[in-house]
Amino acid sequence: MAADQAEVRALEAEIAALKRAFEELPARGQHAAGVQKLFQEIYQSDSEGWESSKDLRSNLGHLESELLFLNTLTGISIRKYSKKTENLMSTEITEKGIKKVLQRHKLSGNCQMITFQVEFQILEVQTKDNLSSVITDLNIILESTTYPELSEFVSRAEERRDLFMFFRSLQCFVEWCEYRKRTFKHFKEKYPEAVHLSEGASSSHMGIRSASQPGFELVIVWRIHMDAEGKVLPKLDLLAKVPQRALELDEKGVMETAPASFRALLGVLGIEAALESLVRAVCTEAEPVPPHSDA
């Protein structure tokens, strides 16, 4: 019975942590309002009236399904969560009918391959007519990561004390990373002789080489850019490695205009079709490997 209650409490803490990241923050636009409304509709469990192990197990199953739903919705899994509350009282504040509460939250978890620890403080001020809350401190720690783009983004989120932006943008960043990984892996499997990934499928760049043109290589550099507002966008560039002799013979400046032409191609075809077109143009001798058949 005690073990069941402890597991229920742990699950409730994880759900609370995910909800806390959205519910207790000031609303930030229509998207934030929609998320907050969704979380507010989630069932609020109350274990005080549970009298049997059957009741505990029933509620435990319900909490587990809700936690799975929240993890799927946000892409974020919370492993640990703790909260401490401190009442900030003084004679002057009491006389004015003002109640101040400082909440200290600490949580750790992961969003796919990125592990994080977050500590933040929320100051809640309640008067006779109004209740307001604001984040007064935010500290984010990411475990060693191969994504340098995140360092500057985390610093901005901490400076603004914008926890909502952190979680929202982190999820979007991870989704783009996974898409880049799948795309590079697809082309490596389809054109194993022509496509080279020096750091594996998780690499941020893909090389295209032609067996009939030694020394010639095109490199696709795929960065994931995060702007000052936390908006996440892919940024693809084309670099050319060309022998000096070939450059001297390039009277029309084809190689010089190649990066701009590639960006125009991206705008017309999209990422995957543009990469496919580039591989076929560079390696005319490259034959795609047929997909595996289960037959």
Side-chain angles (χ1 to χ4, degrees), residues 216 218 240-242 247 250 253-259:
F216 180 84
L218 293 181
K241 296 181 180 179
V242 185
L247 285 176
D250 184 16
V254 174
M255 298 313 303
E256 183 178 349
T257 60

